[in-house]
Amino acid sequence: MYYFLYKAYENPEEEHNYYESRKLFSVLMNFFGDESKNEFYKSMISYCIMRQNAGIKKFQYELFDLYNEKLDQGLYHEFRLKMYPINQFRDYVFIGIEINKFEWVENFINKYSKELPLDIQNDEVNLSFAKLYYKERHFNKALQNLNQIKGNNYIHYLDSSVIKLIIYYEMEKIEDSYLEIDKLRHYIRNHKEIPIIHKEPIINFLKIYQKLLKLKSRPYDEYSGYLSNIINSVKRIARKEWLLEKVLE
């Protein structure tokens, strides 16, 4: 079991090694204690995230299955941990939304959010529901949740601001868009603790987003193709698929 998972990490494209390890784990899991099971789940989840980040969409469904297995076995103590700046709770919400399991996401938030540390609980819940409502195109409901976020955690602030910008664009609230851009840029400038890995995708998003606003007011084919090329050439950019979709529109 461990050997096949090791081989999967050694050669990620050889996915049959992962599936063989997963199959053996399903047979043997009852021989493991909760701590050992949890550690092996972490390793399988990390592999699936790696494949998902490589653009292999089927691993979103595999992640969803792994998360559900963990929940069924009561292996969700990590939700209670104070892991600054993010909690793994958000990963479950993300995957559920990505594969359009909207009812599952709502039930998950309602059932498991009480496990979160109190100092992040309200912001995490509001942000999770905002993401869900945005995906369902209930924009006003999403904004209501976003406006309740205090943003003491920079991840919560960045996430909520980007979703606001997307919603303002969809609702054609151009003035609100520019105001939010200024607020977000000001926030990033004044919070030196934000690591570059979290800061850079947002900064790149803002650059393209402003160009997108200009394109919306003066659309023409030559510039839209140029903008698509810029988006595709940037390695780290938040909401890349959404940006490309809007350029095509």
Side-chain angles (χ1 to χ4, degrees):
M1 183 184 77
Y2 284 102
Y3 169 78
F4 281 116
L5 191 58
Y6 165 77
K7 295 297 287 182
Y9 272 98
E10 188 177 48
N11 295 292
E13 293 77 16
E14 299 291 326
E15 294 169 1
H16 64 88
N17 287 315
Y18 164 79
Y19 288 112
E20 189 64 30
S21 179
R22 173 99 153 89
K23 183 171 70 175
L24 288 168
F25 179 68
S26 297
V27 173
L28 299 170
M29 70 166 66
N30 290 334
F31 293 97
F32 291 89
D34 284 352
E35 187 175 343
S36 296
K37 278 195 282 191
N38 205 44
E39 287 303 312
F40 202 76
Y41 272 119
K42 281 183 184 177
S43 297
M44 291 193 293
I45 287 168
S46 294
Y47 175 82
C48 291
I49 290 173
M50 178 172 61
R51 297 305 289 152
Q52 175 200 250
N53 291 343
I56 315 298
K57 294 289 187 182
K58 67 180 179 180
F59 279 95
Q60 292 180 342
Y61 294 91
E62 183 65 16
L63 276 168
F64 184 72
D65 288 343
L66 289 172
Y67 287 152
N68 271 292
E69 275 187 25
K70 283 191 69 188
L71 293 175
D72 289 343
Q73 294 180 57
L75 300 175
Y76 49 82
H77 75 281
E78 66 266 21
F79 297 162
R80 304 179 189 123
L81 302 177
K82 291 189 176 183
M83 300 170 65
Y84 186 83
I86 56 175
N87 187 290
Q88 290 179 18
F89 183 91
R90 65 194 281 111
D91 296 335
Y92 288 66
V93 172
F94 172 79
I95 287 299
I97 290 174
E98 282 295 296
I99 62 173
N100 298 323
K101 299 285 188 180
F102 300 145
E103 186 177 351
W104 182 92
V105 172
E106 184 173 357
N107 291 334
F108 170 79
I109 297 168
N110 287 327
K111 183 174 181 179
Y112 293 101
S113 60
K114 60 180 177 290
E115 304 293 335
L116 291 165
L118 290 176
D119 56 340
I120 67 165
Q121 191 175 108
N122 285 336
D123 276 3
E124 196 69 62
V125 168
N126 280 310
L127 184 56
S128 297
F129 274 120
K131 290 175 179 177
L132 176 61
Y133 293 146
Y134 155 69
K135 192 70 173 182
E136 294 179 314
R137 300 189 70 80
H138 300 319
F139 296 143
N140 285 320
K141 287 176 72 175
L143 286 173
Q144 286 174 12
N145 283 100
L146 291 170
N147 288 332
Q148 294 181 58
I149 294 173
K150 295 179 180 177
N152 297 326
N153 178 319
Y154 67 76
I155 287 291
H156 289 153
Y157 189 96
L158 297 177
D159 274 4
S160 63
S161 186
V162 167
I163 297 172
K164 278 183 186 178
L165 286 168
I166 288 173
I167 290 174
Y168 290 151
Y169 182 91
E170 298 283 8
M171 297 179 76
E172 299 190 347
K173 294 188 172 186
I174 305 304
E175 187 176 338
D176 288 332
S177 294
Y178 281 110
L179 288 172
E180 189 64 31
I181 289 170
D182 287 340
K183 283 170 61 180
L184 182 52
R185 282 194 167 137
H186 182 77
Y187 181 88
I188 291 171
R189 279 197 303 270
N190 287 287
H191 286 76
K192 307 298 184 187
E193 78 277 11
I194 305 175
I196 190 68
I197 196 170
H198 289 144
K199 187 190 307 184
E200 185 182 15
I202 306 297
I203 292 172
N204 289 334
F205 171 85
L206 287 174
K207 289 177 183 176
I208 300 297
Y209 183 87
Q210 273 199 284
K211 295 180 187 296
L212 190 61
L213 289 176
K214 292 177 182 177
L215 182 62
K216 190 176 182 69
S217 61
R218 291 195 315 165
Y220 53 99
D221 290 342
E222 185 179 339
Y223 187 70
S224 64
Y226 164 74
L227 197 51
S228 293
N229 290 335
I230 292 178
I231 295 169
N232 283 316
S233 69
V234 178
K235 287 186 178 179
R236 284 196 251 178
I237 183 168
R239 301 284 179 166
K240 184 173 186 174
E241 289 184 3
W242 180 83
L243 290 169
L244 286 169
E245 179 187 321
K246 296 302 127 181
V247 170
L248 290 174
E249 285 181 3

